[in-house]
Amino acid sequence: MRDESLASDAPWVVESKFEPNRPRRELVHRDRLLRQLIEGEQRKLVLVTAPAGYGKSSLLGQWYAEKSGTSNCIAWLTLEPTEADAKQFSAYVVLALHRAGLAIDDLLIGARAGFADAAIQSVLSKLIAFINQHDAHIILVLEDYHNVDCDPVNAVVRQLLRDTRRNLTIFIDARRQPNIDAFSMIAAGDASEVNAAQLRLTQEETLQALADVVDREEADAIHHLTEGWPVAVQLARVQKRTRPSDPILSGVDGGLVASYLTEQILSTLDQDTQDLLLAVAFLDRFNPDLTNCVLQSSDAWARMNGLSSFAALIVPLDTKGAWYRLHHLFAEYLREMQRRRSVEKAKEILRRASAWYADRKETLEAVRYAAYAEDYKEGERIILEAGGWRVILTEGIGVLNNALRLVPDDVIQASSRLMSARAYLHCKFGEIAEARAALNAAAKLSSDRNDVQCNVDRMLVESLVNLYEDRTDWSVDHRALREKYTDSGLLDSLSRGTMRCEDILVAIGVADLAAASVYLREAFALMRESGSVLGLNYCYLHASHLALHRGDLATAALNVERASELADENFGSDSGLKAAATVMQIAVRCWQGDFARDDLALLRDALLHTIDNDGWVDLYITGFLAAARLARVFSDPSVLQEITGRFRLVAEQRTLTRLSTFLTCYDDFSSGYPGDQRSKGDILDRAKTLCTAYAADERRRDWQSVCAAGCFLAEHGEDGQAIALYEAVYASSQDNGTQLWTYRLALARLLAAYRAGDTDMAKASCLELVDSTAPLGLRGLFLADELSIRILRELRSELRQNEAELLKLQFVNQVLERWAAIKPHTTPGILTEREFEVLEKLSQGLSNKEIARELELTENTVKFHLKSVFAKLSVSKRSQAIIEAQRRGLIA
């Protein structure tokens, strides 16, 4: 069922594109061709290909009318040259399928944003999955496909044809056969084609078309003259209604007949009506208000509506009759005629249409008509009037991206504000080098003038570029602009909120969480004041990140949940914002201990998306740490290697020194010593050097790398200097409030003590750590190391003996239960968790009575569990059970 209730999805969406032609008079019923189309429904592809004027759209409109009300899901999409882009095309396809009844909600918001910052392969994978899951047959009609016939769009169509089940049929109406492997599909019986020869009217069909204006003899003569070319027959019919005594031109081909008839038809009309038709011919679609506007007449539409003899050439575009267009070929002749008469008049019509759309805040359509008029300065003015780079925040990335595509490069490159807008677009697409180049060009353009808006745009966009480049060493020019405008009262709330978001990330970069919190409160207030949902989305992400660094997982989870909801509702599940939210969600789950194996692949996809679209260094590091822990838990290094490889590449391409340093430190400090490449001493020296430098300047921006070095010193450093440096890093982490790293540093130290044989110290420290982390739900801290689990098991026995420690015992049990769930093969293996506990106590030489007391069980229950253990290990004695358990690696 078609969903008729939906309003316009987005500023750039043209609703009439989802409706087939609805002629205002009964057309010749083409039974022979309709049968071919109906038979074609069983194939993957149906092509209707012929030059203009052969009635392709009319035929498909008849077919569509006959199919209306069937159980099929039929989506209609009329295409224009501006959709010759894989993302824009895919967005319209998704919206068309949604209207036709396909359950596709997960992609809908992204489609409304034009999939501007989405990964096109991810979009196609989801779309194909939705299509394949749909029970009914789906038909997608792509009208005027020649307008988008290009390699990127053809690749999308080929993938849809290749990867969907036979429940999808694509109908393509085009002036030529597109490069989508149609020949091989036709040869294989997977496609059929209706071509120009078949579309020509037969003699009987020509008679039907002309029956009310000529007799059979004259109809036969017109058929012979026009060779059944549908548009020429239509024009002949119009001429015979207006000037029945005039002969049809003979002795020329159909194209010249159509041209001749068009001029003959116009000659029967008064000058005002001619001007009316010549004007609306330049409009892709028109309604009463737009028609009156371009004609500068309050009764223009009344005259248009009275042209009943032209009914076959004026095509309604929607069920309500609100929008119309002229027959394509008729419009083409009229446009050419007007240009021959007066190019300036033609451009004036287009400029008026542009102004009409601009008044209605339809930026993209306004720029499109300005571009048709070749008035690119007006296009520039419209984009800047809409806000320049801020169009992304108000109308979406897709609107700004497509609007700039309509303006020639030389115009953009001569405009400081358009270059700033282009720089921001490059940022959103992950093209940081291109963004910096565009920004530098904008600076040169504005260097000779003191244009406040140019300078403000440049300053704000450079703030964003700085974030993506992870730079705080601002240029002299940027610093001067900030000093000049920050407190000048010239910045609106959105501008000030944008700068505060930059301040947040700069503060996080030096572990100044207190300052970041102050900036965050200001940013939230400013973004709410400005009404920027995009800005609020980033604020929630930053709030989640701050809370995570503090170890406040509950607050982190609530904020990232809100960020994810906002991204879904406003930008789509395939947006860069959604990917960033997914990174944070999985990172939070990782530290909560509520992760699953699937999260590793999800995290990889989200991280790679943020690299390509909209990520920053602190997000990369947080996501990488979560991926590293998940890879370790699930023994899957391949995913981490893929992420590492991509991160190293992006760090090199963007000169992200902090990310590069962190990756090197993680490689050195997390995997022990690589043996023949670097010795333990070399790595210890590197860790000491890093920590020493940090101790001298705690505003250094590599604090995560220093904390990783501190963990290594805690676990492997044996001399006094190493311990002192570790303690300095630990104290600094506490002072900064980066509690997540404080807890990691503490865990590293107690694990080292346990390995060194100081089990009492290790367990005492672990008890303190549990006391701190239990209220925060930080279960994931202990879930990446089997030694942590062993210590917790030993600690559990002691906690059971003290009723005052029930909360800590509950937390320890939760950690051990999660460990058993995610790594059952390394926990008790064939044994249950309780049997494994009994076996451990048995290996410590405890009697049944002592085991019962420590585990708070009855002796009979202990005997029951031991009997089960003996049976599973195929032994009959306690000593045999210990030896067999050690052989199987169940106990040390």
Side-chain angles (χ1 to χ4, degrees), residues 1-77:
M1 293 292 292
R2 178 173 294 274
D3 188 345
E4 301 283 7
S5 65
L6 292 171
S8 179
D9 289 88
W12 55 271
V13 173
V14 179
E15 293 296 314
S16 58
K17 291 164 66 65
F18 304 111
E19 295 287 342
N21 295 328
R22 299 180 183 276
R24 300 201 294 180
R25 66 175 294 276
E26 186 64 31
L27 297 175
V28 174
H29 201 267
R30 314 197 72 183
D31 293 325
R32 61 188 175 87
L33 298 181
L34 291 173
R35 285 194 298 272
Q36 282 186 246
L37 296 183
I38 292 169
E39 290 171 4
E41 293 171 24
Q42 306 306 311
R43 296 181 168 89
K44 294 283 289 181
L45 174 66
V46 176
L47 291 166
V48 182
T49 54
Y54 275 82
K56 302 183 294 297
S57 296
S58 298
L59 173 64
L60 284 171
Q62 281 188 18
W63 164 83
Y64 181 90
E66 294 202 357
K67 299 298 294 184
S68 182
T70 67
S71 60
N72 287 340
C73 166
I74 305 176
W76 186 285
L77 177 58

Side-chain angles (χ1 to χ4, degrees), residues 496-497 500 503 517-527 539:
R496 287 181 285 133
R500 280 293 168 262
D503 294 333
S517 297
V518 173
Y519 297 140
L520 179 65
R521 286 192 294 273
E522 294 180 22
F524 264 121
L526 290 165
M527 290 305 183
C539 286

Side-chain angles (χ1 to χ4, degrees), residues 124 134 209 239 290 298 379 454 519 549 562 709 754 860 886:
L124 286 176
H134 193 70
Q239 186 204 16
L290 177 56
S298 60
C454 285
Y519 297 140
H549 282 316
R562 183 60 181 141
Y754 191 91
N860 282 336
Q886 289 174 333

Side-chain angles (χ1 to χ4, degrees), residues 91 180 226 254 256 260 446 461 510 760 845:
I180 54 172
T226 62
L256 289 177
Y260 168 78
S446 62
V461 174
V510 293
D760 290 340

Side-chain angles (χ1 to χ4, degrees), residues 307-343:
L307 292 175
S308 58
S309 61
F310 286 80
L313 302 176
I314 302 174
V315 183
L317 295 178
D318 54 38
T319 54
K320 300 175 183 177
W323 287 94
Y324 298 81
R325 68 166 174 83
L326 293 185
H327 186 287
H328 289 314
L329 197 59
F330 186 45
E332 286 176 14
Y333 279 123
L334 292 176
R335 288 195 294 270
E336 184 57 33
M337 185 178 295
Q338 180 62 278
R339 291 190 187 100
R340 289 198 304 268
R341 293 184 179 183
S342 171
V343 171

Side-chain angles (χ1 to χ4, degrees), residues 762-773:
K763 287 194 286 187
S765 297
C766 191
L767 188 60
E768 291 179 9
L769 190 57
V770 167
D771 188 46
S772 299
T773 56

Side-chain angles (χ1 to χ4, degrees), residues 82 116 308 315 363-364 449 491 510 616 693 852 882 891:
T82 50
S308 58
V315 183
T363 303
L364 187 56
R449 59 180 121 160
L491 301 183
V510 293
W616 56 95
I882 294 170
I891 58 176

Side-chain angles (χ1 to χ4, degrees), residues 284-564:
D284 295 333
R285 61 194 63 82
F286 51 85
N287 64 10
D289 195 39
L290 177 56
T291 301
N292 290 341
C293 174
V294 297
L295 268 298
Q296 296 185 310
S297 168
S298 60
D299 66 347
W301 179 254
R303 284 182 280 125
M304 170 67 76
N305 214 29
L307 292 175
S308 58
S309 61
F310 286 80
L313 302 176
I314 302 174
V315 183
L317 295 178
D318 54 38
T319 54
K320 300 175 183 177
W323 287 94
Y324 298 81
R325 68 166 174 83
L326 293 185
H327 186 287
H328 289 314
L329 197 59
F330 186 45
E332 286 176 14
Y333 279 123
L334 292 176
R335 288 195 294 270
E336 184 57 33
M337 185 178 295
Q338 180 62 278
R339 291 190 187 100
R340 289 198 304 268
R341 293 184 179 183
S342 171
V343 171
E344 187 51 43
K345 178 66 174 176
K347 290 184 176 181
E348 182 58 30
I349 291 167
L350 293 166
R351 280 193 287 266
R352 290 174 192 163
S354 174
W356 185 85
Y357 279 109
D359 286 345
R360 284 152 184 77
K361 308 300 182 186
E362 296 185 41
T363 303
L364 187 56
E365 287 297 294
V367 175
R368 189 195 319 280
Y369 278 98
Y372 288 163
E374 298 180 346
D375 190 348
Y376 300 116
K377 294 301 291 182
E378 175 64 9
E380 175 189 1
R381 188 199 66 78
I382 292 166
I383 294 171
L384 297 182
E385 184 70 23
W389 70 272
R390 292 173 181 80
V391 170
I392 289 179
L393 307 180
T394 56
E395 300 184 53
I397 299 174
V399 172
L400 181 59
N401 187 37
N402 287 309
L404 288 181
R405 285 170 53 199
L406 292 167
V407 180
D409 273 350
D410 61 333
V411 176
I412 296 174
Q413 290 165 3
S415 167
S416 175
R417 293 189 66 196
L418 288 188
M419 286 302 289
S420 291
R422 175 175 277 184
Y424 188 42
L425 269 179
H426 282 309
C427 265
K428 300 298 288 183
F429 296 147
E431 300 161 352
I432 308 304
E434 293 85 345
R436 178 60 67 181
L439 203 56
N440 290 340
K444 291 179 181 178
L445 288 168
S446 62
S447 61
D448 296 330
R449 59 180 121 160
N450 190 24
D451 187 314
V452 172
Q453 196 57 62
C454 285
N455 288 333
V456 168
D457 276 10
R458 192 158 53 81
M459 176 187 70
L460 293 170
V461 174
E462 185 164 6
S463 290
L464 297 165
V465 176
N466 286 339
L467 291 179
Y468 292 117
E469 288 185 323
D470 198 41
R471 290 178 58 172
T472 54
D473 55 332
W474 295 332
S475 66
V476 173
D477 178 56
H478 181 64
R479 191 176 297 278
L481 290 176
R482 287 179 69 97
E483 291 173 356
K484 181 175 182 179
Y485 293 114
T486 298
D487 299 318
S488 66
L490 295 173
L491 301 183
D492 59 14
S493 54
L494 177 58
S495 300
R496 287 181 285 133
T498 300
M499 293 177 69
R500 280 293 168 262
C501 284
E502 179 189 14
D503 294 333
I504 292 166
L505 291 188
V506 170
I508 290 176
V510 293
D512 190 350
L513 303 194
S517 297
V518 173
Y519 297 140
L520 179 65
R521 286 192 294 273
E522 294 180 22
F524 264 121
L526 290 165
M527 290 305 183
R528 287 193 174 101
E529 182 181 323
S530 72
S532 173
V533 175
L534 182 65
L536 276 176
N537 217 144
Y538 280 111
C539 286
Y540 280 113
L541 283 172
H542 298 331
S544 176
H545 214 162
L546 272 172
L548 180 62
H549 282 316
R550 292 195 176 99
D552 185 355
L553 299 186
T555 301
L558 288 172
N559 277 285
V560 76
E561 181 181 1
R562 183 60 181 141
S564 183

